[in-house]
Structures are given as C-alpha cells and as structure tokens.
Amino acid sequence: MSKFGISVALLTPVKETGAIDLAALAAHAVKMMQSGVAGVTLFGTTGEGASMDGASRAAGVKALLEAGIPAEKVTLGICETAAQDAADEIESASRLGITQFLLMPPCYFKNCADDGLFDWHMQLLNATPSSAKIILYHIPQVSGVGLSVPLVGRLAAAAPERVIAIKDSSGNWANAEALLKQGALPVLIGDERLMHRAVPLGASGAICGMANLYPERMIRLFETGEEDKALSDEVTEIVSVPVVPALKAILAERSGEPGWNRLRAPLTPLSATDRAKVLAAVAEAA
C-alpha cells in the first residue's frame, strides 16, 4: 500500500426508531465518493460502530454495495472484545465482497501486555479468510487499549500479507512520528491536525471524520502536505466536546437535514450550550 489516500470515516444516519437510515447512508457515501476520495470507512468510531449490531452492519454494507460503491473502496470497522466474534463479523462481510477491515483492539480488559494483544490479533487472523486485510487501530483515548510501536512492528512481521496498515488516531505526534520512522507498516492519520506534518514523512493517507464535511479539503491537505489552518482550528473546537455528536450537529446544520442529529445510545446529542458553541466556532473558522 504505497498510497491509501483519504477514506471518509462515515457518520451513520439513524431514524427515530434507532434503525440505520440506509437510504441516507448510501446517499451520503455516494456523495463522498463523487467528491474524489479514495474510499469510505463504515462503522468506525465516527460511524458509531461499537453501537451497531451484526444485522445493522450487514444491512449497511449491502446498502453501499447496492448503491454502486465498489467493495474494494469500502473499509469496515470491527469492534469486538472476543477474537472469534470479530472473526465471525469479518467472515460475514467477506462473503459480501469486503476485503479491508479497520480492527479495534479488544477494549474491555485494560493494561494488557503486548504478548496478550499479539495473541488476540493472531487468533483472529488465523480464523479469517486470507483475503481479509487488516488495518490496525490505535485510538487509546477511546478504546483504553493502545498498540505500542514495537507491537505494531511485531504484528507486521508476523502477518505481512494480512496486516496492511496502522491507523493512528491518538492525536499524539510523537507516536505517529515513531510509527512513520519505524516503517513497518503504512501509517494512516486519524487526527487531521497532524496530516501536514505526517505527509512529508511518508504518511499513506487518512481515515478521518472531517472528510464528512470537507472531502475536497482533506484530499488537498494530503496531496500538498500544507496545513489547512482553518480546518485545524475547527478540529480543535470539535474535540473539545463529544466528537461524534459534534460532527453530526455540524452536518445537520450545513445540510439542512435535521435527522443527522440523531445518535444511537449510549451517545446523545450535544447540549444546547455545546451545540451553539461548536456551530459558532466552526462558522468563524470556516
């Protein structure tokens, strides 16, 4: 993977019943692809993947494929604590043609040793089709379980045909820089504010939530390696409040489609104060 490009970490529209609005999801994904991004990522952190049951996941994948999005352009988020449950989800999606997966590490037990995390990932790899390619996912501020730089190198060496990249969403530049300099895997950046620093060191691309709002700007940021200061300022405001509700509030405001405000439990919409704060700040930064 010399160049991954920009994959939109899709927000997931939900109906008043809590069911996914499949038509709106497919339409949003198609719109993102038409903007020129390299692909879309379904049911990651931004897409509330941890709140999506298996049937909802399968329906979401089918909706995108039926809308004409090629399976090879879709990355599917996987969030399970048991390796076999994660493997079963990968197996099901593989039967639909999906080959690329963003894999959250097991996130219930904390302070796990690298040996234990290595074994978990290898058990999963051994239980899934060889066609299933894995993007490791480092987002310790959400999962509570990080992937150390040595562990990333170890997994890359143990399964070079299966483990194809690492997404660093920690927002920690020292960690991203260490991964880039290690060179064991292509590095995808999750925090848009670090992209201009990562590109000169060989970052392969990004899976990011801001691409829901600004796909063309994210493409330009990746291709030029030049900081988009206004976009960075918006990210700083967004991460000061619950991120997924904030992104949904902004998309609802800008699209004129209030349904984007809805979230699946346990997430809830922003408070009126936080919503006003974020909308005012991003309007000023835009």
Side-chain angles (χ1 to χ4, degrees), residues 98-180:
I98 304 301
T99 60
Q100 197 158 268
F101 301 88
L102 177 63
L103 180 64
M104 183 80 77
C107 56
Y108 181 82
F109 294 109
K110 306 302 186 287
N111 302 314
C112 295
D114 278 4
D115 284 349
L117 291 171
F118 177 84
D119 289 346
W120 186 92
H121 283 83
M122 293 307 297
Q123 288 170 18
L124 179 144
L125 290 168
N126 290 333
T128 50
S130 60
S131 60
K133 309 304 181 184
I134 301 300
I135 299 171
L136 303 176
Y137 195 6
H138 179 65
I139 184 168
Q141 72 275 25
V142 174
S143 68
V145 177
L147 302 177
S148 71
V149 174
L151 175 59
V152 170
R154 187 178 172 190
L155 287 167
E161 302 301 318
R162 300 290 308 283
V163 180
I164 62 170
I166 168 76
K167 180 189 178 189
D168 185 355
S169 292
S170 67
N172 182 328
W173 171 246
N175 193 79
E177 184 179 36
L179 287 168
L180 288 160

Side-chain angles (χ1 to χ4, degrees), residues 221-238:
L221 177 55
F222 174 58
E223 292 180 345
T224 65
E226 298 176 0
E227 184 179 14
D228 184 330
K229 184 62 167 57
L231 188 143
S232 292
D233 289 344
E234 286 199 26
V235 173
T236 297
E237 292 295 337
I238 288 167

Side-chain angles (χ1 to χ4, degrees), residues 19-282:
I20 297 173
D21 188 334
L22 296 172
L25 175 65
H28 181 55
V30 168
K31 181 180 179 181
M32 294 296 99
M33 291 300 300
Q34 290 173 342
S35 74
V37 296
V40 292
T41 297
L42 191 60
F43 304 139
T45 303
T46 304
E48 302 170 73
S51 299
M52 300 297 167
D53 57 276
S56 294
R57 289 169 174 274
V61 170
K62 290 176 182 176
L64 265 59
L65 299 179
E66 290 170 0
I69 296 177
E72 64 269 19
K73 299 294 185 180
V74 178
T75 300
L76 180 63
I78 302 293
C79 180
E80 296 288 351
T81 56
Q84 189 59 55
D85 285 344
D88 289 346
E89 285 200 17
I90 290 172
E91 173 72 33
S92 296
S94 294
R95 290 197 292 269
L96 297 175
I98 304 301
T99 60
Q100 197 158 268
F101 301 88
L102 177 63
L103 180 64
M104 183 80 77
C107 56
Y108 181 82
F109 294 109
K110 306 302 186 287
N111 302 314
C112 295
D114 278 4
D115 284 349
L117 291 171
F118 177 84
D119 289 346
W120 186 92
H121 283 83
M122 293 307 297
Q123 288 170 18
L124 179 144
L125 290 168
N126 290 333
T128 50
S130 60
S131 60
K133 309 304 181 184
I134 301 300
I135 299 171
L136 303 176
Y137 195 6
H138 179 65
I139 184 168
Q141 72 275 25
V142 174
S143 68
V145 177
L147 302 177
S148 71
V149 174
L151 175 59
V152 170
R154 187 178 172 190
L155 287 167
E161 302 301 318
R162 300 290 308 283
V163 180
I164 62 170
I166 168 76
K167 180 189 178 189
D168 185 355
S169 292
S170 67
N172 182 328
W173 171 246
N175 193 79
E177 184 179 36
L179 287 168
L180 288 160
K181 290 182 175 179
Q182 179 192 57
L185 287 173
V187 178
L188 310 179
I189 301 298
D191 188 323
E192 297 87 351
R193 296 169 295 181
L194 302 182
M195 179 63 73
H196 69 287
R197 301 175 69 181
V199 167
L201 295 182
S204 184
I207 298 175
C208 58
M210 289 298 283
N212 286 278
L213 306 175
Y214 306 117
E216 295 90 351
R217 287 171 72 177
M218 285 306 309
I219 294 169
R220 185 166 60 249
L221 177 55
F222 174 58
E223 292 180 345
T224 65
E226 298 176 0
E227 184 179 14
D228 184 330
K229 184 62 167 57
L231 188 143
S232 292
D233 289 344
E234 286 199 26
V235 173
T236 297
E237 292 295 337
I238 288 167
V239 300
S240 72
V241 298
V243 172
V244 178
L247 288 171
K248 282 194 157 182
I250 297 167
L251 186 55
E253 182 76 10
R254 294 184 177 175
S255 67
E257 298 175 8
W260 279 109
N261 285 303
R262 289 190 288 267
L263 297 106
R264 269 201 176 182
L267 296 183
T268 57
L270 294 180
S271 68
T273 299
D274 281 346
R275 180 183 176 86
K277 170 179 173 287
V278 167
L279 292 179
V282 298

